[in-house]
Amino acid sequence: MFKNIGIIIGREYYQRVHRKSFIISTLLMPIVLVALMALPALIMIMAEPDNNRIAVIDRSGVVLPALAGNEEMTFVPTDLSLDSAKVSEDYDAVLAIGPDIITNPSNVQIYTHNAMSMPTSQVISQQIASAVESKRLEKYNIANLDKIMAEVKADVTLREFRLEDGEETESSSIASYAISLITMMILYMFILMYGQMVMTSIIEEKNNRVLEVVVSSVRPTALMMGKISGIGLVALTQMVIWGIIIYAFTAFGMPLLISDMSGGADMDAMAAIQSIGNVGYMMSIFAMMTLLMLLGYLFYASIYAAIGAAVDNIQDASQLQTFAIVPIIASLIFGMGACTDPNSAMSFWMSMIPLTSPMVMMARVPAGVPGWELALSLAILAVFTVLTIWLSAKIYRVGIFMYGKKPTPRDLIRWARYK
C-alpha cells in the first residue's frame, strides 16, 4: 500500500513541478514579495521630489512671511493678479490667501497645473494654520511667546518592545501588520489554489475513466491520500524556494537598506525595516506559515477531494465548492480584523476554530502569540484535519464510481456512513 502511495505521490509531484507555469510563479512571486518589502525603503532612498514654484498672492499680509519652502516647494511672492498668475508658465501653482484669513481660515485656495501630492498639500495647510494661530495668539500680549511655544513643543517617538519569557525585543506594529497581511494572503492563495487543483485533477481523471483502472490495484483511500500528498509536496516545494529567496533578502539585502536609511528615515520606518531585516524573526514567521499552510491545505484539500470524487464536471462542483470556499473567505475577513487587533476575543476564537484557524492564527503570529494558544490551535486543527480526511476518504471511495447524477448533501452524508 505504501509503495503504491509513493508512486502516486511521485507522479502528482513530477507532473506539476515540470510545468513552466510552476517555475514562473515560483520565481516571480517571491520577487514581487521582496519588492513589496523593500519598496518603502527604496522610495525613501531614491525619491527625488521635484521643486514646485508656488506663487503666493497674500491679500492679508500675514501668512507670506511665515511660509517656509523645502525640497519640494519654493514660495514666490508675486504682484500679478490671480488670473495672470494662473496662466503664467513661471509657476507650478498659485496660492491665493484672502484678506480675512485670520477670522476665516477657509478663505484660501491653491491652483495647480498638475496634481499635487498629499504631503505637499498637508505641509502648506499646516504652515498656513500655524501662521493664523500665531497671529491670533498675539492679541494676548504674552512676552517671548515664540520661545515659549518652541520650548513647549514635543515630538514623541514611541518605541515598542515585546516582553516574552523575561526578555524584551524591540518590535514594530507597522511591520507586524504588513507581515501579517502578506503571510495571510499567501496562505489564502495556497489553500484555495492547491485545494482546487486536487478537485479538478480528480474530476479530470474520473471523466477519463482513469480512476477505474487505478483503483484495481490501489485502494481508493490510498489513491486520495497519494494525490493530496503529491500536490501538497508541490506547494511545499514552492514555499521552501520562496523561503530561501526571502531569507537571502533579509540576511543580505535588508542590512544594506538599513545602513542607507540610517541618516534620513523616521524612527517608525526604521523600526519596521529592522523588524523585517531580523533573519531569526522572519525565519520563525516562515516556519509557522509553512506549518499552518500544510495543516490548512490538508484540511481543505480533503474536502475538495471529496467534492471532486462526488461530481462529474466543474459546473456541478462549483455548487458543492460553497462548503469550502465560504469558510476560506470568512477566514480572510476575520484575518483582516486579526491583523489590526491580534489579541481581541474575536481573533482568539477564530484562531481556534479549524475552519478559520490557519489564516487567522497566521495573522496573529507576527504580533506575538502566547505559546499555549499556538499549541492549542495547532492541536485542534490537527485533530479536525485527521477527522476530515477520514470522512472525505469514505465519500471518495464511493463517489469515484458514481456517474450521471449530481449528489445532494444527503447523498454525501449517506456515503460517509457506509462501512
Side-chain angles (χ1 to χ4, degrees):
M1 175 178 173
F2 290 105
K3 180 180 177 181
N4 292 334
I5 291 178
I7 294 173
I8 296 169
I9 291 174
R11 175 186 175 275
E12 295 293 335
Y13 181 80
Y14 289 111
Q15 183 183 18
R16 286 167 174 79
V17 296
H18 289 163
R19 293 177 180 174
K20 291 183 179 179
S21 59
F22 174 82
I23 298 173
I24 292 173
S25 63
T26 300
L27 296 177
L28 184 62
M29 186 57 69
I31 294 174
V32 173
L33 292 176
V34 167
L36 290 174
M37 293 165 61
L39 188 60
L42 292 175
I43 290 175
M44 292 180 184
I45 295 171
M46 301 176 62
E48 296 181 359
D50 296 330
N51 188 283
N52 296 305
R53 287 173 54 83
I54 301 177
V56 181
I57 302 176
D58 184 7
R59 286 171 287 184
S60 68
V62 173
V63 176
L64 180 59
L67 296 177
N70 54 28
E71 294 180 354
E72 299 182 11
M73 54 190 167
T74 300
F75 295 105
V76 182
T78 180
D79 295 328
L80 296 175
S81 65
L82 179 58
D83 292 336
S84 299
K86 286 181 185 178
V87 298
S88 175
E89 297 182 358
D90 295 331
Y91 308 113
D92 298 298
V94 180
L95 180 63
I97 301 167
D100 59 344
I101 189 67
I102 303 301
T103 58
N104 182 18
S106 298
N107 192 6
V108 57
Q109 302 85 32
I110 188 165
Y111 304 90
T112 62
H113 297 293
N114 298 309
M116 179 171 290
S117 67
M118 185 180 296
T120 300
S121 177
Q122 290 175 342
V123 169
I124 294 173
S125 298
Q126 290 169 0
Q127 290 195 25
I128 295 174
S130 179
V132 171
E133 291 168 1
S134 297
K135 197 66 178 178
R136 288 179 175 180
L137 286 171
E138 287 182 1
K139 66 180 182 179
Y140 293 98
N141 296 321
I142 301 175
N144 299 321
L145 181 60
D146 293 339
K147 181 179 179 181
I148 294 172
M149 295 297 294
E151 292 175 350
V152 169
K153 184 178 179 180
D155 293 323
V156 177
T157 300
L158 183 64
R159 296 181 64 188
E160 301 176 34
F161 292 88
R162 184 181 299 135
L163 298 174
E164 187 173 359
D165 298 330
E167 298 182 359
E168 57 184 47
T169 305
E170 188 163 8
S171 62
S172 168
S173 57
I174 298 174
S176 296
Y177 178 83
I179 295 171
S180 297
L181 195 60
I182 292 173
T183 52
M184 184 187 64
M185 293 302 296
I186 291 175
L187 250 65
Y188 171 78
M189 179 184 67
F190 266 69
I191 292 174
L192 190 62
M193 179 175 68
Y194 284 101
Q196 290 182 337
M197 190 180 295
V198 170
M199 181 189 70
T200 55
S201 176
I202 292 173
I203 292 175
E204 290 174 359
E205 292 180 356
K206 185 177 178 181
N207 287 332
N208 296 333
R209 296 297 197 270
V210 173
L211 292 180
E212 294 181 0
V213 177
V214 176
V215 295
S216 63
S217 57
V218 181
R219 292 173 57 186
T221 302
L223 179 61
M224 187 193 82
M225 287 306 303
K227 184 173 289 292
I228 291 176
S229 300
I231 295 176
L233 279 178
V234 176
L236 183 61
T237 300
Q238 194 168 56
M239 186 157 291
V240 169
I241 295 173
W242 289 11
I244 293 172
I245 295 175
I246 293 173
Y247 172 83
F249 173 72
T250 55
F252 304 107
M254 271 298 177
L256 296 176
L257 290 175
I258 291 172
S259 62
D260 288 339
M261 292 184 61
S262 57
D266 59 49
M267 293 297 296
D268 290 338
M270 282 298 299
I273 294 171
Q274 286 175 346
S275 295
I276 296 173
N278 186 325
V279 176
Y281 172 70
M282 290 301 297
M283 287 302 100
S284 65
I285 295 296
F286 175 77
M288 187 53 59
M289 180 175 68
T290 303
L291 180 58
L292 287 169
M293 186 277 293
L294 287 175
L295 288 174
Y297 162 78
L298 290 173
F299 181 84
Y300 279 101
S302 60
I303 297 175
Y304 275 111
I307 295 172
V311 299
D312 297 334
N313 53 69
I314 297 295
Q315 289 73 25
D316 292 340
S318 61
Q319 298 179 3
L320 291 177
Q321 277 189 85
T322 304
F323 294 107
I325 291 178
V326 169
I328 293 175
I329 294 176
S331 300
L332 185 64
I333 295 172
F334 287 118
M336 293 288 186
C339 289
T340 304
D341 188 2
N343 296 313
S344 67
M346 181 275 294
S347 299
F348 171 80
W349 288 111
M350 290 300 106
S351 65
M352 296 298 158
I353 299 174
L355 288 169
T356 58
S357 63
M359 278 182 276
V360 177
M361 180 54 78
M362 190 65 250
R364 298 181 62 203
V365 166
V369 177
W372 71 268
E373 291 187 18
L374 190 56
L376 180 59
S377 176
L378 291 173
I380 295 173
L381 179 58
V383 169
F384 275 84
T385 296
V386 172
L387 179 61
T388 304
I389 291 174
W390 177 69
L391 289 174
S392 296
K394 299 187 75 172
I395 296 173
Y396 182 89
R397 69 180 182 177
V398 177
I400 57 175
F401 299 108
M402 297 294 179
Y403 295 93
K405 177 186 176 183
K406 183 172 67 175
T408 64
R410 181 176 296 179
D411 292 330
L412 297 179
I413 294 173
R414 189 175 68 253
W415 294 353
R417 295 175 64 181
Y418 284 163
K419 295 182 180 180

